[in-house]
Amino acid sequence: MLRTHTCGELRIADVNKEVTLCGWVQRIRDKGGMIWIDLRDRYGVTQLIFNEQGTSPEILEKIRKMGREFVIKSSGKVIERFSKNDKIPTGDIEIEVSQIEALNSSKVPPFIIEDETDGGDDLRMKYRYLDLRRSIVRKNLELRHKMMQETRRYLDGQQFIEVETPVLIKSTPEGARDFVVPSRMNKGEFYALPQSPQTFKQLLMVSGFDRYFQIVKCFRDEDLRADRQPEFTQIDCEMSFVEREDILQMFEGLIRHLFKSVKGIELETVDRMSYEDAMKYYGSDKPDTRFEMRFTELNDVAQGKGFNVFDSAELVVGIVAKGYAEYSRKQVDALTEFVKKPQIGAKGLVYVKYNADGSLKSSVDKFYSQDDLKTWADKMEAKPGDLMLVLSGEKNHTRNALNELRLKLGTDLGLRDKKAYKALWILDFPLLEWDEESQRYHAMHHPFTSASPEQLALLDSEPGKVKANAYDMVINGVEVGGGSIRIHDRGIQQKMFKALGFNEDEARKQFGFLMDAFEYGAPPHGGIAYGFDRLCSLFGGSESIRDYIAFPKNNSGRDVMIDSPSAISKGQLDELGLALKG
Amino acid sequence: MLRTHTCGELRIADVNKEVTLCGWVQRIRDKGGMIWIDLRDRYGVTQLIFNEQGTSPEILEKIRKMGREFVIKSSGKVIERFSKNDKIPTGDIEIEVSQIEALNSSKVPPFIIEDETDGGDDLRMKYRYLDLRRSIVRKNLELRHKMMQETRRYLDGQQFIEVETPVLIKSTPEGARDFVVPSRMNKGEFYALPQSPQTFKQLLMVSGFDRYFQIVKCFRDEDLRADRQPEFTQIDCEMSFVEREDILQMFEGLIRHLFKSVKGIELETVDRMSYEDAMKYYGSDKPDTRFEMRFTELNDVAQGKGFNVFDSAELVVGIVAKGYAEYSRKQVDALTEFVKKPQIGAKGLVYVKYNADGSLKSSVDKFYSQDDLKTWADKMEAKPGDLMLVLSGEKNHTRNALNELRLKLGTDLGLRDKKAYKALWILDFPLLEWDEESQRYHAMHHPFTSASPEQLALLDSEPGKVKANAYDMVINGVEVGGGSIRIHDRGIQQKMFKALGFNEDEARKQFGFLMDAFEYGAPPHGGIAYGFDRLCSLFGGSESIRDYIAFPKNNSGRDVMIDSPSAISKGQLDELGLALKG
């Protein structure tokens, strides 16, 4: 090694050692008689010191040619610092330098390489290799590394086998759009990149692998929203001879292990909630349960009093902001503006202040008496000093809007502590969703999800009512994973494809191999997949998965650093038997 | 869990326990009064026993409907076996069954699911999910799993960070052919799948990640030879502030750890050999050094004696088969036939038998006296009883042919023990190779490989003579990994691109981001990549990497199980702005 130590490891006990360090110049301070250099590497920062008196002119000349981000190799003696820096682990010592050498120079970087940088997003992405030098960014990827290792440690300890499934697979029209890869050897034909290894992991269960996992790249050619990437990583798992409870236990175990080993946190019990309750009490299938503020439905007490807005609404539903009766008119107006934003789309917001003196003041006093409002308060378990907020309208739409309001209030009132973690399972999802546009059912999870055992019979008669044997894990309002007990019976799988409007030919063409496999002794099985990028960002306390991906793409699917995608040569196109259109 | 135990865990100490097992029917033996079922899962085989007397007619009826590969759940009491089977760990016990249930039925499988199967390659690939049930195949993937976990354990312990680099990158014409992925959002443009994460790992070094690794899928659109796959897996590593010796030490450490932890073998010293010596003494840059049989060049003693074949040859070179002077005429003829095969292409083979009595008998006695031949023997260090075999011709061609003969003899003479492992480093490769066809130099490793430090100056004057600061690891004649110290200076990288015949524009367009990165403080760095599929097959004692890949593709790049690649819809093509040609 060109160095004897890293820039993060020298301590007071190392005083008098002759050492050699390598790293980047973080800062040079030249105060005439003395020069200090902060030398940085992945492991930390160590201070180099030069006394003009004791340093040869050649060395001084070298130093004075150096600038930020030069790569340096420097030897000298560890000495105790006169004024110690207790903010860094190496702060008790510095290096009295006898030799120094620039291993490489650096132009002035386009932005400041510190936690607080002056570089905008575009610039930092173009020079991602410099952005990654910032310790705040590097720590995200170190966290990711640790999450990967600990995930494997847990699953390996539970007898899961890591199996790599193919990346060049087959395009299927079901679900999101595939990325495709033209085949040169089979002209006119294409591979697809996997949206998930779903069918392969099921085949591995048919093969008797019993417990499979993989931390695996998946691909979706979707128009990108803020928090989506065309390639993303999943922790993908599958188990045989299990029922739902076994999966829930095993993967509570995984999350518990990750919190403990990566963050030193003992996670509380993972609660369970039905999809129906989640929608009813939180208006979301991924409720943030770090705080209560559950919905109360008010149709029975709020309708029939002549207030047409409520009377004509499918749902009247409210939440209580505990202790916020003192909110000013202006503050309440701001909440009203919030829910009326187009992306939330409520028509208005009704408020009821439950004053400290027990009186009630609302925006609908014209229609409701104090007694009426007291009934609401009782139903909502509001106390004097609380603020009640009520929305109304079409059921799903109103629930969505109130969910947004609840989350905003949770944030405003400081109820969403980034250091608190609350995990829960959402259970009993509907198996199928009716799609108005295509006038057919879609699988809410995917076509391989089984119905709850007792509800299979309903699949023919009332498919919309069937509950899936599926589960999502939600942490702090973020869906981090989901899965299901799968269908393992060919007949039932066929029925499912039929319910989804596949004709037999299509089903055969796309999933024939899986249907065939089910005829050769497929065991009962189920599994789960975690969105690994999101899980990392949750652990890191960030909202953006991009911060946890070394080389992310932008919202147009471009890597602006390497300038990709890009044109390819005519020769390449010819070999693939392809032509560009228009 | 549907089971209380696996089929591999019950022992004599478990006698009298009530247990439930799940698994596949391996075999049913129905001897009238008694029925036995061998129940198999990933963990082993356990015998179920039914005494017709003590078993209800319903159960007997159920059993008699079951066949091979049915999936069974069965409960009963563990009892001691009357006649024990010491070939399996569960052989001391069996289960006296009280309940049995078929969880799924099975058609008769298309081939026998045992280590020795009657299924041909094509059939087994089509039904790969059944092939994977064979314990011999499953064990290969269990080995692969273990190799992955231990690789990570070692590298994590050495402070390497696992970073996922992108799969959707940019096509570059250098090297093998890329698989490309059309971009829908950037019509007319394409991503490429990585042939290796080379440039990204170098950028991570520029970012100060210091030590990076990844076990990563790579892709090459090549016409497939027997042992190639379009997608394959690499252990990819890079380190900063290192010299060659540091890399050699670190990765000897990895291989040593893998042999120890996966196979319980303490690997001997990893020898080192220059490329020049490897070619001279073994005729190969990946010599199998489990056995000696080094080449001896005989030009000085064999030429000028009137034997025109030798006199006109660039190289006369031989090997000694120790103790094989007794080889019959027929056996020697067979060796001659072997070297004359078109894929080896020698014109003939000269032999010299060094008889036990000290006399020498050769196929060229007409030209050489006993004394002449004795000179050869001395030079080759042959002893009475040995057989000398000599080839001649153009240097590289002759070395290749003699390498093949040496390997064949090694195999024939039992010198290539599959359980013995001999690793070595090949060093000092040429940096550049002259390509007659394109009339320019090609990088022997890749364009980012640096020259040996002392030879940089030669790059301008005699580029063909420059040695690369590169290394390959060879185990038992198989190249398992290779790498180099990289160029980290923009000027030198430019010089290299120039030597390779890139014009500045091309270099800029393809690798501009890397050249730019070198201007912002790139540290000295180097790395290595292991072919993981091959490493697994080597550890498993197989010649074929396919046996170590869960779902491999055939030689036409097809996955015959899922029937991929396949046609995609017109709609998909339209969205991508593509048309198929003719």
Side-chain angles (χ1 to χ4, degrees):
Chain A
M1 299 292 298
L2 301 182
R3 66 193 174 207
T4 58
H5 295 77
T6 71
C7 295
E9 69 179 302
L10 293 170
R11 299 286 183 275
I12 195 80
D14 298 304
V15 163
N16 286 326
K17 277 190 190 155
E18 288 293 332
V19 301
T20 301
L21 302 185
C22 293
W24 286 261
V25 173
Q26 176 82 16
R27 200 177 293 123
I28 302 188
R29 277 162 299 154
D30 189 342
K31 304 238 159 142
M34 302 283 263
I35 306 174
W36 293 268
I37 296 180
D38 285 348
L39 194 67
R40 183 196 72 230
D41 68 9
R42 170 181 140 199
Y43 311 94
V45 171
T46 299
Q47 181 166 288
L48 312 179
I49 185 166
F50 308 80
N51 187 328
E52 202 157 316
Q53 236 77 53
T55 309
S56 74
E58 299 79 46
I59 287 188
L60 285 173
E61 203 194 321
K62 274 195 208 169
I63 296 168
R64 288 189 165 128
K65 281 186 187 153
M66 291 174 180
R68 278 199 288 137
E69 303 306 322
F70 271 52
V71 186
I72 299 295
K73 176 181 171 184
S74 180
S75 301
K77 192 164 79 171
V78 182
I79 58 173
E80 185 171 358
R81 265 209 220 182
F82 180 70
S83 64
K84 302 201 164 69
N85 177 353
D86 60 10
K87 288 196 192 105
I88 57 172
T90 61
D92 288 349
I93 57 93
E94 58 196 352
I95 314 296
E96 194 177 58
V97 174
S98 53
Q99 281 180 39
I100 189 162
E101 176 189 345
L103 297 172
N104 214 339
S105 62
S106 175
K107 294 205 294 193
V108 175
F111 51 86
I112 295 173
I113 299 183
E114 308 236 12
D115 287 1
E116 293 296 323
T117 176
D118 56 350
D121 201 51
D122 289 350
L123 198 62
R124 286 188 293 109
M125 285 302 135
K126 182 164 161 57
Y127 295 93
R128 180 65 166 172
Y129 47 87
L130 297 180
D131 196 34
L132 287 169
R133 273 191 201 161
R134 298 164 59 224
S135 77
I136 203 171
V137 183
R138 198 192 56 238
K139 281 197 170 71
N140 291 345
L141 291 169
E142 286 173 346
L143 174 81
R144 188 178 175 110
H145 164 80
K146 194 151 188 213
M147 299 274 288
M148 291 182 94
Q149 309 315 313
E150 291 299 338
T151 297
R152 291 201 177 87
R153 200 179 312 271
Y154 177 82
L155 293 172
D156 182 40
Q158 298 287 345
Q159 310 262 340
F160 283 76
I161 302 185
E162 189 170 5
V163 180
E164 292 156 87
T165 53
V167 177
L168 298 171
I169 64 164
K170 183 173 175 164
S171 188
T172 56
E174 181 73 3
R177 207 183 280 106
D178 285 323
F179 280 105
V180 297
V181 181
S183 167
R184 180 183 55 86
M185 286 207 278
N186 304 271
K187 274 204 191 44
E189 297 190 322
F190 292 74
Y191 303 98
L193 303 181
Q195 297 183 29
S196 95
Q198 183 63 33
T199 48
F200 289 98
K201 69 177 175 174
Q202 292 194 242
L203 290 176
L204 286 172
M205 294 304 105
V206 175
S207 298
F209 274 60
D210 205 66
R211 295 180 173 195
Y212 142 92
F213 85 100
Q214 192 180 189
I215 301 183
V216 60
K217 276 278 176 79
C218 300
F219 305 85
R220 261 178 224 167
D221 184 12
E222 286 178 334
D223 296 319
L224 300 176
R225 285 182 279 146
D227 206 25
R228 287 275 176 91
Q229 285 281 317
E231 52 179 298
F232 55 96
T233 303
Q234 270 184 201
I235 306 173
D236 193 52
C237 305
E238 198 79 6
M239 299 171 78
S240 287
F241 302 118
V242 289
E243 293 168 306
R244 184 179 81 182
E245 187 59 29
D246 303 308
I247 305 253
L248 300 190
Q249 294 289 345
M250 179 61 74
F251 291 95
E252 274 189 43
L254 170 61
I255 283 296
R256 208 173 281 288
H257 173 78
L258 287 177
F259 272 105
K260 180 76 186 164
S261 60
V262 176
K263 296 188 74 74
I265 289 174
E266 287 286 358
L267 193 69
E268 284 174 44
T269 324
V270 178
D271 293 327
R272 298 177 184 194
M273 195 184 293
S274 71
Y275 172 81
E276 210 173 298
D277 281 353
M279 295 311 291
K280 183 170 178 181
Y281 294 118
Y282 298 93
S284 166
D285 59 0
K286 37 181 191 284
D288 183 346
T289 50
R290 276 174 297 182
F291 65 110
E292 275 284 327
M293 209 184 281
R294 285 160 61 120
F295 292 8
T296 307
E297 299 191 348
L298 298 169
N299 291 39
D300 54 347
V301 293
Q303 290 182 325
K305 303 281 176 172
F307 180 42
N308 188 45
V309 171
F310 281 6
D311 288 354
S312 64
E314 186 183 0
L315 180 67
V316 182
V317 59
I319 51 174
V320 177
K322 289 240 162 271
Y324 281 80
E326 302 303 316
Y327 250 39
S328 69
R329 179 62 195 246
K330 206 173 143 194
Q331 286 173 303
V332 173
D333 282 352
L335 295 179
T336 308
E337 286 315 304
F338 175 80
V339 298
K340 285 165 87 174
K341 286 195 300 184
Q343 59 270 45
I344 297 182
K347 295 235 171 58
L349 174 67
V350 167
Y351 72 84
V352 185
K353 290 181 175 178
Y354 198 163
N355 296 314
D357 64 5
S359 67
L360 292 132
K361 170 83 191 91
S362 83
S363 54
V364 287
D365 283 353
K366 215 195 306 181
F367 301 101
Y368 298 94
S369 69
Q370 289 277 312
D371 279 355
D372 289 339
L373 297 176
K374 183 65 172 49
T375 327
W376 298 15
D378 289 347
K379 190 145 196 211
M380 294 171 84
E381 297 180 12
K383 299 276 167 306
D386 291 350
L387 173 67
M388 294 173 264
L389 298 162
V390 182
L391 291 177
S392 64
E394 187 271 326
K395 187 166 76 176
N396 291 334
H397 188 255
T398 306
R399 282 175 168 177
N400 280 343
L402 193 60
N403 167 50
E404 295 294 341
L405 179 62
R406 175 180 176 272
L407 292 177
K408 178 187 165 44
L409 278 170
T411 304
D412 291 354
L413 308 183
L415 302 172
R416 304 177 75 188
D417 177 4
K418 276 197 178 175
K419 292 194 175 137
Y421 290 93
K422 193 76 187 150
L424 86 160
W425 289 111
I426 304 292
L427 305 171
D428 301 328
F429 286 83
L431 184 65
L432 305 167
E433 277 180 312
W434 182 255
D435 184 57
E436 282 299 332
E437 201 182 318
S438 58
Q439 284 289 306
R440 64 179 185 94
Y441 282 105
H442 281 263
M444 191 147 177
H445 276 74
H446 53 56
F448 313 109
T449 301
S450 72
S452 285
E454 65 283 3
Q455 296 201 304
L456 200 55
L458 281 175
L459 195 53
D460 289 320
S461 53
E462 297 180 276
K465 289 212 171 152
V466 178
K467 297 269 182 285
N469 204 349
Y471 29 79
D472 274 3
M473 183 180 270
V474 173
I475 303 179
N476 293 3
V478 176
E479 182 204 318
V480 294
S484 62
I485 300 296
R486 324 297 183 187
I487 298 166
H488 66 280
D489 179 279
R490 185 188 171 111
I492 296 174
Q493 186 67 65
Q494 258 167 333
K495 212 184 228 184
M496 181 71 174
F497 282 134
K498 208 176 135 201
L500 293 171
F502 280 74
N503 70 38
E504 247 180 75
D505 251 23
E506 282 167 353
R508 174 87 229 147
K509 212 168 142 196
Q510 289 176 42
F511 300 111
F513 60 98
L514 188 66
M515 310 281 276
D516 287 349
F518 283 175
E519 293 197 301
Y520 290 100
H525 62 286
I528 195 166
Y530 284 89
F532 187 62
D533 308 294
R534 187 151 301 163
L535 196 62
C536 290
S537 72
L538 182 81
F539 269 63
S542 161
E543 312 249 304
S544 161
I545 63 170
R546 277 223 271 170
D547 297 343
Y548 294 80
I549 295 173
F551 299 101
K553 293 186 175 56
N554 73 11
N555 284 351
S556 319
R558 295 200 70 84
D559 182 327
V560 295
M561 180 185 72
I562 63 172
D563 191 22
S564 161
S566 58
I568 59 173
S569 70
K570 173 120 197 334
Q572 277 175 291
L573 284 169
D574 285 347
E575 272 196 320
L576 297 169
L578 290 178
L580 301 181
K581 284 205 302 197
Chain B
M1 301 292 297
L2 300 182
R3 65 193 176 206
T4 58
H5 295 77
T6 70
C7 296
E9 70 179 299
L10 293 169
R11 299 286 183 275
I12 196 79
D14 298 304
V15 163
N16 285 326
K17 277 189 191 157
E18 288 292 332
V19 301
T20 302
L21 302 184
C22 293
W24 285 261
V25 173
Q26 176 83 16
R27 200 176 295 121
I28 301 186
R29 278 162 300 153
D30 189 342
K31 303 237 161 143
M34 302 284 263
I35 306 174
W36 293 269
I37 296 180
D38 284 348
L39 195 66
R40 182 196 74 230
D41 67 10
R42 171 182 140 199
Y43 311 94
V45 171
T46 299
Q47 181 165 290
L48 312 179
I49 184 165
F50 307 80
N51 188 326
E52 203 157 315
Q53 236 77 54
T55 309
S56 75
E58 299 79 47
I59 288 187
L60 285 173
E61 204 194 320
K62 275 195 209 171
I63 298 167
R64 286 185 167 133
K65 282 186 185 152
M66 292 174 181
R68 275 201 290 138
E69 301 306 322
F70 270 51
V71 186
I72 299 294
K73 177 181 171 185
S74 179
S75 301
K77 193 165 76 173
V78 183
I79 58 172
E80 184 170 358
R81 266 209 218 181
F82 181 71
S83 64
K84 301 202 165 67
N85 178 352
D86 60 9
K87 287 193 194 108
I88 56 172
T90 60
D92 288 349
I93 57 93
E94 58 196 351
I95 314 296
E96 193 177 60
V97 175
S98 53
Q99 280 180 36
I100 189 161
E101 176 189 347
L103 297 172
N104 214 340
S105 62
S106 175
K107 294 207 293 194
V108 175
F111 52 86
I112 295 173
I113 299 183
E114 309 236 11
D115 288 1
E116 294 294 326
T117 177
D118 55 350
D121 202 50
D122 290 350
L123 197 61
R124 285 188 294 108
M125 285 303 136
K126 181 164 162 53
Y127 295 93
R128 181 63 165 172
Y129 47 87
L130 297 180
D131 195 33
L132 287 170
R133 271 190 203 162
R134 296 163 59 223
S135 77
I136 203 169
V137 184
R138 200 192 55 241
K139 281 196 171 69
N140 290 346
L141 291 169
E142 286 173 345
L143 174 80
R144 187 178 176 110
H145 164 80
K146 195 152 188 212
M147 299 275 287
M148 292 182 95
Q149 309 314 314
E150 291 300 338
T151 297
R152 290 201 178 87
R153 202 180 310 272
Y154 177 81
L155 293 172
D156 183 41
Q158 298 287 345
Q159 310 263 341
F160 283 76
I161 302 184
E162 188 170 6
V163 180
E164 292 155 87
T165 53
V167 177
L168 297 172
I169 64 164
K170 183 173 173 163
S171 188
T172 55
E174 182 73 3
R177 207 183 280 107
D178 286 323
F179 280 105
V180 296
V181 181
S183 167
R184 179 183 54 86
M185 288 207 278
N186 305 271
K187 275 205 190 44
E189 297 190 323
F190 293 75
Y191 303 99
L193 303 182
Q195 297 183 30
S196 95
Q198 184 63 31
T199 48
F200 288 97
K201 70 177 175 175
Q202 291 194 244
L203 289 176
L204 286 172
M205 295 303 105
V206 175
S207 298
F209 272 61
D210 205 71
R211 294 179 174 197
Y212 143 91
F213 85 100
Q214 192 180 187
I215 302 182
V216 60
K217 274 279 174 79
C218 300
F219 305 86
R220 259 178 225 166
D221 184 12
E222 287 178 332
D223 296 319
L224 301 176
R225 285 182 278 145
D227 206 26
R228 286 275 175 93
Q229 285 281 315
E231 52 179 298
F232 55 97
T233 302
Q234 270 185 202
I235 306 173
D236 193 52
C237 306
E238 199 79 5
M239 297 172 79
S240 287
F241 301 117
V242 289
E243 293 168 306
R244 184 180 81 182
E245 186 60 30
D246 303 309
I247 305 253
L248 301 189
Q249 294 290 345
M250 179 63 74
F251 291 95
E252 274 189 43
L254 171 61
I255 283 296
R256 208 172 280 288
H257 172 78
L258 287 177
F259 271 106
K260 180 76 186 165
S261 59
V262 176
K263 296 188 73 77
I265 290 175
E266 287 286 358
L267 194 67
E268 281 175 47
T269 322
V270 178
D271 293 328
R272 298 176 184 195
M273 194 183 292
S274 71
Y275 172 82
E276 210 172 298
D277 281 354
M279 296 310 291
K280 182 170 178 180
Y281 295 118
Y282 298 94
S284 166
D285 60 359
K286 37 181 192 282
D288 183 347
T289 49
R290 278 174 297 183
F291 65 108
E292 274 284 328
M293 209 184 281
R294 285 160 62 120
F295 293 9
T296 306
E297 299 189 350
L298 298 170
N299 292 37
D300 55 347
V301 293
Q303 290 181 326
K305 303 280 176 173
F307 181 41
N308 187 45
V309 172
F310 281 5
D311 288 352
S312 64
E314 185 183 2
L315 180 69
V316 182
V317 60
I319 51 176
V320 177
K322 289 242 161 270
Y324 282 81
E326 302 303 316
Y327 250 40
S328 69
R329 179 62 194 246
K330 205 173 147 195
Q331 285 172 304
V332 174
D333 283 352
L335 294 179
T336 308
E337 286 315 303
F338 174 81
V339 299
K340 285 166 88 173
K341 285 196 301 184
Q343 59 271 46
I344 296 179
K347 296 233 171 59
L349 174 68
V350 167
Y351 72 83
V352 185
K353 289 182 176 178
Y354 198 164
N355 297 316
D357 63 7
S359 68
L360 291 132
K361 170 84 191 90
S362 83
S363 53
V364 287
D365 283 351
K366 214 194 307 180
F367 301 100
Y368 299 96
S369 68
Q370 288 279 311
D371 279 352
D372 290 338
L373 297 176
K374 182 67 171 50
T375 328
W376 298 14
D378 290 346
K379 190 146 195 212
M380 295 173 83
E381 298 180 12
K383 298 277 165 306
D386 291 349
L387 173 67
M388 293 173 265
L389 298 163
V390 182
L391 292 177
S392 64
E394 186 273 327
K395 186 166 77 175
N396 291 333
H397 187 255
T398 306
R399 282 175 169 176
N400 281 342
L402 192 60
N403 167 50
E404 295 294 341
L405 179 62
R406 176 181 175 272
L407 292 177
K408 180 188 164 47
L409 279 170
T411 304
D412 290 355
L413 310 182
L415 303 173
R416 303 177 77 189
D417 177 4
K418 276 198 179 174
K419 292 195 175 134
Y421 290 92
K422 194 77 185 151
L424 85 160
W425 289 110
I426 303 293
L427 304 172
D428 301 329
F429 286 85
L431 184 65
L432 305 166
E433 277 180 312
W434 181 256
D435 184 58
E436 282 298 334
E437 200 181 320
S438 58
Q439 284 289 306
R440 64 178 185 94
Y441 282 106
H442 281 262
M444 191 147 176
H445 275 75
H446 53 56
F448 312 108
T449 301
S450 72
S452 284
E454 64 284 3
Q455 296 202 303
L456 201 53
L458 281 175
L459 195 53
D460 289 321
S461 54
E462 297 181 275
K465 287 210 173 154
V466 179
K467 297 271 184 282
N469 204 348
Y471 29 80
D472 274 2
M473 183 179 269
V474 172
I475 303 180
N476 293 4
V478 176
E479 181 204 321
V480 294
S484 62
I485 300 296
R486 323 298 183 187
I487 298 167
H488 67 281
D489 179 279
R490 185 190 171 109
I492 296 174
Q493 186 66 67
Q494 258 168 334
K495 212 183 229 185
M496 182 70 173
F497 282 135
K498 208 176 135 200
L500 293 171
F502 279 75
N503 70 38
E504 249 180 74
D505 251 22
E506 283 167 351
R508 173 87 229 148
K509 213 169 141 196
Q510 289 175 43
F511 299 111
F513 60 98
L514 188 65
M515 309 282 275
D516 287 348
F518 283 175
E519 293 198 301
Y520 290 101
H525 61 285
I528 195 167
Y530 284 90
F532 187 63
D533 307 294
R534 188 153 298 163
L535 196 62
C536 289
S537 73
L538 182 81
F539 270 63
S542 162
E543 312 250 303
S544 161
I545 63 170
R546 278 222 272 171
D547 296 343
Y548 293 81
I549 295 173
F551 299 101
K553 294 187 174 54
N554 73 11
N555 283 352
S556 318
R558 296 200 69 84
D559 181 327
V560 295
M561 180 186 71
I562 63 172
D563 192 22
S564 163
S566 59
I568 59 173
S569 70
K570 174 122 194 337
Q572 276 175 292
L573 285 168
D574 285 346
E575 273 197 319
L576 296 169
L578 290 177
L580 301 182
K581 285 204 302 195

